[in-house]
């Protein structure tokens, strides 16, 4: 049994070991930035990052799910290299398009509104880094320790420069810059690994194949946009209808929750290509394995969520410090998101996508985005940050339940 899962366990352990260092670095900078930048400027940076996230999603185009799945299924190095080239060049084309739209948008908004142009220009570096950093390839070949090592290197230098250059609330541009360049540094490092160990990826793409990967990833792309409408877009809605201070209170509490849910990342990243290959060989074995995963993840995250709910006040005081008392109730409202999201990760990413049910996945997330939009705007109008917190919880519960019912209808019984 251990030999059967040896490679999977090695990938999970490797990711957790190095991700642990990454979380430590993040938890060092997060409380520091919250205190130094103050609520308003911290909220301004988070709001800008939320806007730029739309361009990140556009250039991703669902390839971060399609890529690992297709590469994991392919053992032939030459064919694997062609898959890489087609996806990477497809992302580069989208980057050019996104950059043109971004620059035109900035010029138009600068004329009509007093926006902080420099903040958005600095934050846009995230989009460039996201394109040149081929996380999806290393996921597909199940060699995730490469991407985590280069991520650690990039984040380590980011932390050093943040502490050196960010000393007061006026240094928010430096804070945004040193967070935005992490994927660029990681991307450059990962390409050194590619040139040295995976020369098969250095090939010219096929125009027809590029069109095909766009088509194959369409459902996942729409699903990602829909997902963003009830996650990152909530901060955008909150920023439009309130102010940077309220965004700061909410985003601080949300950051704590998402720091916890990001622990699921190494597990999902490691299991996704493994399950993709297992489904190809035996759907029954894949379902049995997923049952073990869903029970383990839900039990663990339920315990963590309970701790967050009970000790919310202490957590806010320790991590955020003085002046963030309003974030306590927000943290309690969102406390059980980790266990809810653990279910949707298994039901959606690890099951619906690996079993080639992208259309159902898309339908669920589109439905969730519509429901969230209908709920969140009046909730923000009447209850501001409390309203958006409640809306997120309702939407995530809806997503998990809808996914579970859809799987059951297709004779895939989890739990």
């Amino acid at each position: 049994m251990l030999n059967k899962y040896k490679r999977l366990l090695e990938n999970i352990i490797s990711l957790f070991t190095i991700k642990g260092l990454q979380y430590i670095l993040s938890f060092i900078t997060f409380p520091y930035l919250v205190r130094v930048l103050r609520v308003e400027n911290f909220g301004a940076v988070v709001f800008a990052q939320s806007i730029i996230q739309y361009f990140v999603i556009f250039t991703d185009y669902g390839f971060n799910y399609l890529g690992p799945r297709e590469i994991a299924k392919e053992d032939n190095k030459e064919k694997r290299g062609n898959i890489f080239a087609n996806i990477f060049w497809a992302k580069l084309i989208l980057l050019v398009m996104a950059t043109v739209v971004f620059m035109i948008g900035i010029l138009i908004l600068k004329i009509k509104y007093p926006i902080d142009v420099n903040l958005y220009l600095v934050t846009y570096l995230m989009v460039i880094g996201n394109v040149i950093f081929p996380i999806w390839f290393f996921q597909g070949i199940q060699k995730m320790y490469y991407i985590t090592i280069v991520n650690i290197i990039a984040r380590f230098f980011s932390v050093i420069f943040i502490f050196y250059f960010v000393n007061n609330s006026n240094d928010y541009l430096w804070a945004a810059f040193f967070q935005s360049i992490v994927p660029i540094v990681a991307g450059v490092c990962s390409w050194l690994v590619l040139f040295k160990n995976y020369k098969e990826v250095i090939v010219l793409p096929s125009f027809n194949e590029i069109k095909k990967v766009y088509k194959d990833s369409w459902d996942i792309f729409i699903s990602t946009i829909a997902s963003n409408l009830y996650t990152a877009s909530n901060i955008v809605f909150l920023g439009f209808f309130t102010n940077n201070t309220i965004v700061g209170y909410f985003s601080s509490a949300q950051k704590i929750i998402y720091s916890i849910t990001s622990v699921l990342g190494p597990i999902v990243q490691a299991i996704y290509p493994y399950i993709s290959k297992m489904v190809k060989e035996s759907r029954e074995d894949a379902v049995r394995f997923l049952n073990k995963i869903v029970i383990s993840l839900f039990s663990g995250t339920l315990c963590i969520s309970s701790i967050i709910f009970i000790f919310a006040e202490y957590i806010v005081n320790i991590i955020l410090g003085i002046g963030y008392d309003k974030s306590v109730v927000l943290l309690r409202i969102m406390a059980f998101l980790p266990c809810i999201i653990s279910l949707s990760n298994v039901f959606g990413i690890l099951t619906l996508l690996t079993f080639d049910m992208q259309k159902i996945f898309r339908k669920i997330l589109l439905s969730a985005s519509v429901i969230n939009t209908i709920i969140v705007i009046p909730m923000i109008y009447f209850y501001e940050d409390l309203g958006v917190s409640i809306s997120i919880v309702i939407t995530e519960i809806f997503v998990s339940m809808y996914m579970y019912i859809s799987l059951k209808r297709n004779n895939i019984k989890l739990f």
Side-chain angles (χ1 to χ4, degrees):
M1 180 64 73
L2 286 175
N3 288 332
K4 184 179 179 181
Y5 300 131
K6 184 179 178 182
R7 191 173 185 184
L8 175 62
L9 290 171
E10 285 176 355
N11 283 326
I12 292 176
I13 292 169
S14 173
L15 276 172
F16 263 116
T17 302
I18 304 174
K19 277 275 187 179
L21 295 174
Q22 184 176 314
Y23 295 142
I24 291 170
L25 294 177
S26 297
F27 260 93
I28 290 172
T29 54
F30 172 50
Y32 178 76
L33 289 175
V34 165
R35 287 170 169 81
V36 173
L37 297 182
R38 304 297 180 188
V39 178
E40 186 174 356
N41 281 345
F42 181 76
V45 171
V46 172
F47 182 73
Q49 290 171 340
S50 299
I51 295 291
I52 296 302
Q53 191 64 27
Y54 290 110
F55 294 95
V56 172
I57 289 169
F58 177 72
T59 53
D60 266 345
Y61 201 81
F63 294 137
N64 281 359
Y65 291 116
L66 179 74
R69 189 183 70 190
E70 296 305 308
I71 288 170
K73 291 177 180 178
E74 188 56 68
D75 294 323
N76 183 285
K77 282 189 174 183
E78 185 179 340
K79 290 181 180 178
R80 196 168 64 190
N82 288 330
I83 293 171
F84 175 91
N86 294 326
I87 291 177
F88 182 72
W89 280 90
K91 285 173 73 73
L92 282 180
I93 292 169
L94 293 175
L95 175 63
V96 173
M97 294 168 61
T99 304
V100 171
V101 172
F102 173 74
M103 295 307 297
I104 292 173
I106 285 291
L107 290 173
I108 293 172
L109 288 173
K110 186 181 178 182
I111 295 170
K112 292 188 175 183
Y113 304 101
I115 65 167
D116 193 331
V117 174
N118 290 332
L119 177 59
Y120 286 92
L121 289 174
V122 163
T123 312
Y124 190 76
L125 293 172
M126 292 170 59
V127 183
I128 299 171
N130 180 69
V131 170
I132 67 171
F133 187 20
I135 297 174
W136 44 273
F137 175 76
F138 293 105
Q139 272 186 269
I141 61 174
Q142 298 188 59
K143 294 288 179 71
M144 276 78 74
Y145 57 85
Y146 281 128
I147 64 172
T148 46
I149 287 171
V150 296
N151 247 318
I152 287 296
I153 293 170
R155 287 182 183 277
F156 179 75
F157 284 104
S158 172
V159 169
I160 292 174
F161 288 126
I162 283 174
F163 278 107
Y164 185 80
F165 286 97
V166 182
N167 301 306
N168 56 65
S169 60
N170 294 324
D171 294 330
Y172 66 96
L173 286 178
W174 283 119
F177 174 73
F178 290 121
Q179 290 179 79
S180 300
I181 63 168
V182 168
I184 291 181
V185 176
V188 171
C189 292
S190 66
W191 273 91
L192 295 176
V193 175
L194 290 175
F195 279 122
K196 183 179 178 181
N197 300 323
Y198 302 98
K199 291 185 175 64
E200 68 269 14
V201 305
I202 316 300
V203 293
L204 290 174
S206 162
F207 179 71
N208 288 332
E209 288 299 316
I210 289 177
K211 287 198 298 183
K212 186 177 182 299
V213 296
Y214 282 136
K215 183 180 177 182
D216 291 344
S217 199
W218 174 252
D219 285 324
I220 302 174
F221 173 54
I222 297 300
S223 301
T224 308
I225 292 176
S227 175
N228 185 261
L229 285 174
Y230 69 85
T231 52
S233 290
N234 283 328
I235 289 181
V236 176
F237 290 143
L238 190 63
F240 276 132
F241 289 109
T242 59
N243 54 60
N244 287 337
T245 302
I246 291 174
V247 170
Y249 287 128
F250 169 75
S251 59
S252 299
Q254 188 186 47
K255 204 93 170 178
I256 294 172
I257 293 295
Y258 283 177
S259 294
I260 301 299
T261 56
S262 65
V263 175
L264 297 170
I267 301 172
V268 175
Q269 284 180 342
I271 294 174
Y272 181 68
Y274 181 86
I275 286 290
S276 297
K277 199 161 189 175
M278 185 180 279
V279 170
K280 186 179 178 182
E281 296 167 356
S282 171
R283 292 169 67 94
E284 292 76 18
D285 288 345
V287 171
R288 280 193 290 270
F289 182 72
L290 284 166
N291 263 297
K292 296 175 184 176
I293 295 299
V294 72
I295 292 170
S296 300
L297 286 183
F298 182 74
S299 301
T301 51
L302 183 60
C303 292
I304 294 170
S305 292
S306 300
I307 292 170
I308 295 171
F309 183 83
I310 296 168
F311 298 104
E313 188 173 350
Y314 297 100
I315 293 170
V316 167
N317 288 336
I318 292 169
I319 296 177
L320 305 181
I322 299 170
Y324 285 86
D325 293 343
K326 196 175 180 182
S327 296
V328 174
V329 66
L330 304 178
L331 185 61
R332 281 208 168 100
I333 291 170
M334 297 185 286
F336 288 93
L337 281 178
C339 62
I340 300 167
I341 292 172
S342 71
L343 293 178
S344 62
N345 277 341
V346 178
F347 297 157
I349 297 170
L350 295 182
T351 310
L352 286 173
L353 292 185
T354 56
F355 279 76
D356 290 325
M357 290 188 274
Q358 293 96 321
K359 285 183 170 56
I360 296 174
F361 187 70
R362 180 190 65 186
K363 181 182 177 182
I364 293 169
L365 295 188
L366 280 173
S367 301
S369 66
V370 171
I371 289 171
N372 180 77
T373 305
I374 292 171
I375 295 172
V376 77
I377 293 176
M379 289 290 278
I380 289 173
Y381 181 80
F382 289 108
Y383 303 107
E384 297 181 337
D385 41 11
L386 288 173
V388 72
S389 301
I390 295 168
S391 299
I392 289 174
V393 175
I394 292 171
T395 306
E396 290 290 357
I397 291 172
F398 169 81
V399 169
S400 294
M401 290 180 65
Y402 198 168
M403 285 179 173
Y404 176 75
I405 292 168
S406 299
L407 289 172
K408 201 170 182 181
R409 285 174 179 169
N410 284 273
N411 295 318
I412 299 174
K413 298 178 182 178
L414 299 182
F415 252 136

